[in-house]
Amino acid sequence: MKIIKSVLCLSLLTTIIANAQHKVSKTTGIKNNKSKKVTETNFNLSKRINSYPFNKASQIKIISYNLNSDGMTRVSAETYDKETGRTVTTLDYNIGIELPRKNLDSLSLENVTQIKTLNLSQVEKLSDILYNTCSRLNTNCSEIIRGCYLPRNAILFFDENGKVFDYLELCFECKTKESFGKIENLDLSDYMYNDLEKYFNNLGIKTKYETLASPSK
């Protein structure tokens, strides 16, 4: 719970500064209706870290996997059927791995390509992207469901015993997510996914399909 306690202290400082700025604006008579509208829908730092799963997290990590899985169908075998006189083709669909949906005890980081533990400022930035992207842009954001879903990244939430109790699994290609529990109030729009992918990349976590290098002859 060290992360949460530290964030609470930072939240208190942020609140004090915000209140001071509000008093200055009130004194000078400066008004900004657009900023006020955005602020009313914002999740401030205190509200974000007191929302599930941040309120239960002792540690947060981001990961990459499936970087060499393109999700394309491939011919695995062709057999000739004497009765029909036709060639039967068997296709394999390379879907890679997905995180477990029913039992987190089966979650393994064995096939994870990259993993990064977030520090305090990185957790704060992550929560701001997840909750406040649309309100910051002052736009109406709605989730668009697409069909491909080949996740290559996830956000893992660990409890104080070092066990993953929830995750946010992400497919940046189709802009879709899955979670183990019920994570609510997220800005699940194209804008959020775009900012979140940049966030992953800036921390050195890859999000794109990588072709395997051809073996040297």
Side-chain angles (χ1 to χ4, degrees):
M1 302 299 288
K2 292 181 179 179
I3 287 179
I4 303 303
K5 289 180 180 178
S6 299
V7 175
L8 282 172
C9 293
L10 182 59
S11 175
L12 179 60
L13 178 61
T14 304
T15 302
I16 293 173
I17 294 173
N19 288 337
Q21 290 175 337
H22 175 71
K23 289 180 181 179
V24 171
S25 296
K26 189 174 181 181
T27 303
T28 57
I30 298 174
K31 293 183 180 180
N32 190 328
N33 293 331
K34 185 176 180 180
S35 297
K36 183 178 181 181
K37 181 179 179 181
V38 173
T39 303
E40 287 175 350
T41 57
N42 261 1
F43 278 68
N44 61 30
L45 182 57
S46 177
K47 190 172 182 179
R48 296 197 306 268
I49 64 171
N50 282 294
S51 298
Y52 180 86
F54 287 92
N55 61 349
K56 189 180 175 181
S58 179
Q59 192 176 63
I60 300 173
K61 299 183 180 183
I62 58 175
I63 62 175
S64 68
Y65 49 99
N66 285 339
L67 296 181
N68 296 318
S69 298
D70 59 8
M72 301 299 291
T73 54
R74 294 176 179 80
V75 175
S76 61
E78 287 188 345
T79 56
Y80 180 74
D81 191 327
K82 293 180 179 180
E83 294 183 3
T84 62
R86 295 179 179 178
T87 299
V88 179
T89 302
T90 303
L91 299 176
D92 287 335
Y93 186 67
N94 184 17
I95 61 173
I97 62 172
E98 292 183 16
L99 301 185
R101 303 286 185 248
K102 295 182 179 180
N103 183 9
L104 282 180
D105 289 337
S106 63
L107 189 153
S108 172
L109 301 181
E110 184 178 337
N111 294 314
V112 168
T113 307
Q114 298 174 294
I115 185 166
K116 181 175 180 60
T117 303
L118 303 183
N119 62 30
L120 175 60
S121 62
Q122 291 163 351
V123 169
E124 180 186 359
K125 175 65 175 177
L126 173 66
S127 66
D128 186 46
I129 293 173
L130 291 176
Y131 289 104
N132 290 328
T133 300
C134 293
S135 56
R136 183 167 55 251
L137 296 174
N138 198 25
T139 185
N140 181 24
C141 295
S142 59
E143 182 177 6
I144 300 174
I145 304 298
R146 298 175 177 86
C148 74
Y149 200 68
L150 179 56
R152 306 186 194 282
N153 300 94
I155 303 166
L156 305 180
F157 298 91
F158 292 78
D159 62 22
E160 54 190 8
N161 296 315
K163 295 189 66 175
V164 177
F165 67 89
D166 213 332
Y167 59 73
L168 196 62
E169 185 182 65
L170 302 156
C171 176
F172 286 115
E173 291 172 22
C174 65
K175 294 182 171 59
T176 310
K177 62 87 180 170
E178 290 284 349
S179 63
F180 183 77
K182 192 175 182 181
I183 303 177
E184 299 179 309
N185 300 315
L186 302 183
D187 281 347
L188 299 176
S189 66
D190 285 6
Y191 302 103
M192 187 277 288
Y193 285 101
N194 292 340
D195 285 357
L196 194 57
E197 185 171 19
K198 291 177 184 176
Y199 172 85
F200 271 72
N201 294 156
N202 287 339
L203 292 178
I205 301 297
K206 298 176 181 178
T207 56
K208 303 291 188 185
Y209 166 66
E210 297 182 340
T211 55
L212 291 172
S214 301
S216 55
K217 295 181 180 181

